[in-house]
Amino acid sequence: GKQYIKKTGISVVQIPTGVNFSEDSETNNNVTVVFGIAGKNNEHIDILSKIALLCSNINNVAKLADAQSSQEIIALLKEVEN
């Protein structure tokens, strides 16, 4: 699908109650934030790097999950320096 990407972008989906991505019922891998990315000319690698750095701190994950606007999420992503 690379040929269909017109410009680099990111989507962030918040799931307030979470979704358990565990394969068994005894483990809880509850996910509250999901990212979708599309990057032209390998720009997706920079996006993935920023997401990884941001989410390496559990406090930032909580901020993403609790954000009330796209501006809050953008500000969090902009704080990340590579």
Side-chain angles (χ1 to χ4, degrees), residues 30-44:
N30 210 37
V31 174
T32 56
V33 180
V34 177
F35 296 92
I37 61 169
K40 285 191 73 93
N41 303 319
N42 291 325
E43 291 176 340
H44 65 286

Side-chain angles (χ1 to χ4, degrees), residues 5-73:
I5 299 173
K6 296 185 180 191
K7 70 179 197 173
T8 297
I10 182 172
S11 63
V12 180
V13 177
Q14 296 168 302
I15 308 165
T17 57
V19 173
N20 187 356
F21 276 80
S22 178
E23 292 183 11
D24 62 72
S25 60
E26 295 179 19
T27 306
N28 184 8
N29 289 327
N30 210 37
V31 174
T32 56
V33 180
V34 177
F35 296 92
I37 61 169
K40 285 191 73 93
N41 303 319
N42 291 325
E43 291 176 340
H44 65 286
I45 295 171
D46 181 52
I47 295 171
L48 283 171
S49 175
K50 286 185 177 187
I51 292 169
L53 287 170
L54 180 67
C55 293
S56 66
N57 181 330
I58 193 67
N59 293 327
N60 289 335
V61 176
K63 288 178 186 178
L64 283 169
D66 294 339
Q68 298 297 307
S69 69
S70 57
Q71 289 81 13
E72 285 182 66
I73 293 170

